[in-house]
Amino acid sequence: MIKVITEEMVEEYRKSLIDEEKSEATVNKYMHDLGVFLNYAGAEPVDKEMMIAYKDFLLKSYLVSSINSMLAGVNGFLKFCGWYDCVVKTIKTQKRNFRREDRELSRKEYERLLAAAKAGEKMRLWHILQTICSTGIRISELRFITVEAVRAGYADVNMKGKNRRIILPRKLIQLLKAYIRKNGIKKGSIFVTRGGKPVDRSNIYHEIQKLCEMAGVASSKGFPHNLRHLFACIYYEQEKNLANLADVLGHSNLNTTRIYVQCGWKKQVQILDEMDLVVAA
């Protein structure tokens, strides 16, 4: 059977992702990755040989982690179409046991970002940074930080059929109450665009990138999810309880949580040096 992709099939796949209650960001990511493949394939029929060639094509331009992510979106579409014979394997990689130094945001760098936001009178961003970093929430969960949640002292998150409660630190509550009063926010999400919609990942990412330049922080560290990583590291350093941290972060798998608390390269070197197991000649 000749396998030709049509616009109708792509649209049906998009609808299926929505029906599966995938987040908007996930749907957009999968559709983008499928679009990259469609540009590569053109009007040619899809077969296993093409998919293997496509994987080789990606290897010339992308990191392995990015390639595996991109292949996941295309493989998902192929499975949706029932074309299992065309699905390709992802690229196996050796598991890292430390975080990349060029992407690891330190507490001091976080504080510099806050100082730069305040100096630049970017007070909405200043509050957003502190809200994410002091609670460990995902950027997609920021919309659940509402006037009602601040009054209650916690936010109930309901996403992808899962429910969890996020506790708001007392200092954050006081900070947000003052922000709410000053901006005359009566109800609903606290952090919204001029059009009244909750701010999204794209809004915040671009703002943080600009802030990094102002604060002298590497742009590679300027993404919202890094604040969640910083929260996880500081929480674990204080409590040394992986199970509790998993609950706070909303992880169902402890292996996911372990990734968040991996130490950086310099810390690994320090630990090995302090073990002092080398005897001088």
Side-chain angles (χ1 to χ4, degrees):
M1 182 183 75
I2 298 177
K3 302 177 177 69
V4 178
I5 300 174
T6 65
E7 291 182 5
E8 290 75 14
M9 294 165 68
V10 173
E11 178 58 20
E12 286 300 314
Y13 178 55
R14 187 186 70 82
K15 289 179 180 178
S16 74
L17 294 174
I18 295 172
D19 290 341
E20 291 172 11
E21 298 185 17
K22 300 289 187 186
S23 69
E24 183 180 353
T26 299
V27 173
N28 291 339
K29 174 72 168 60
Y30 275 35
M31 297 310 295
H32 171 269
D33 293 343
L34 182 56
V36 174
F37 172 69
L38 292 175
N39 286 336
Y40 170 84
E44 295 295 316
V46 179
D47 56 22
K48 187 61 170 275
E49 186 178 350
M50 173 186 279
M51 288 303 302
I52 293 173
Y54 178 60
K55 184 161 70 169
D56 290 338
F57 164 76
L58 293 177
L59 278 167
K60 297 174 183 177
S61 305
Y62 298 92
L63 295 173
V64 170
S65 58
S66 298
I67 293 171
N68 286 339
S69 176
M70 294 171 78
L71 289 176
V74 180
N75 280 339
F77 173 76
L78 296 174
K79 292 174 183 177
F80 171 76
C81 295
W83 300 345
Y84 288 88
D85 57 316
C86 296
V87 172
V88 289
K89 294 181 180 179
T90 54
I91 302 166
K92 291 184 179 179
T93 58
Q94 184 177 0
K95 183 179 178 182
R96 284 181 182 269
N97 59 356
F98 55 86
R99 291 197 306 274
R100 285 176 52 179
E101 206 72 39
D102 63 328
R103 293 174 66 85
E104 183 181 356
L105 184 71
S106 69
R107 184 167 192 154
K108 288 185 178 179
E109 288 170 326
Y110 163 65
E111 290 170 353
R112 275 170 30 208
L113 289 175
L114 290 178
K118 200 166 189 178
E121 298 183 351
K122 300 178 181 294
M123 297 311 295
R124 185 185 71 175
L125 183 58
W126 186 75
H127 284 85
I128 287 174
L129 294 177
Q130 297 205 65
T131 299
I132 297 173
C133 202
S134 68
T135 60
I137 60 173
R138 301 175 178 90
I139 192 65
S140 58
E141 296 170 336
L142 189 63
R143 61 190 174 92
F144 292 96
I145 305 299
T146 62
V147 172
E148 295 77 15
V150 172
R151 289 172 181 162
Y154 59 84
D156 284 328
V157 172
N158 184 356
M159 294 183 69
K160 301 181 183 179
K162 297 179 181 178
N163 296 283
R164 73 187 187 97
R165 178 162 289 183
I166 297 167
I167 298 173
L168 305 181
R170 282 176 288 185
K171 283 187 177 180
L172 179 65
I173 291 172
Q174 296 307 312
L175 207 67
L176 294 181
K177 280 183 175 179
Y179 180 80
I180 289 167
R181 284 195 301 270
K182 184 174 182 179
N183 290 276
I185 305 170
K186 302 299 181 183
K187 61 179 181 179
S189 296
I190 295 173
F191 304 114
V192 296
T193 63
R194 291 179 181 178
K197 294 182 178 180
V199 294
D200 60 21
R201 188 188 314 273
S202 178
N203 298 139
I204 299 171
Y205 173 77
H206 291 299
E207 287 190 53
I208 294 179
Q209 284 291 299
K210 293 178 182 177
L211 196 61
C212 282
E213 188 175 346
M214 294 169 59
V217 174
S219 61
S220 60
K221 302 180 181 184
F223 54 97
H225 203 69
N226 234 0
L227 298 167
R228 179 168 156 88
H229 273 271
L230 180 58
F231 167 88
C233 290
I234 294 175
Y235 184 101
Y236 186 71
E237 285 173 8
Q238 181 172 314
E239 295 299 316
K240 293 293 189 295
N241 190 315
L242 201 64
N244 281 355
L245 177 58
D247 288 339
V248 173
L249 293 176
H251 290 160
S252 55
N253 189 329
L254 283 181
N255 288 328
T256 304
T257 313
R258 285 191 179 94
I259 295 172
Y260 278 68
V261 296
Q262 288 173 339
C263 61
W265 173 269
K266 289 182 180 178
K267 184 64 176 178
Q268 290 276 31
V269 172
Q270 179 186 337
I271 292 170
L272 294 174
D273 285 345
E274 289 177 355
M275 290 172 67
D276 197 23
L277 291 174
V278 178
V279 179

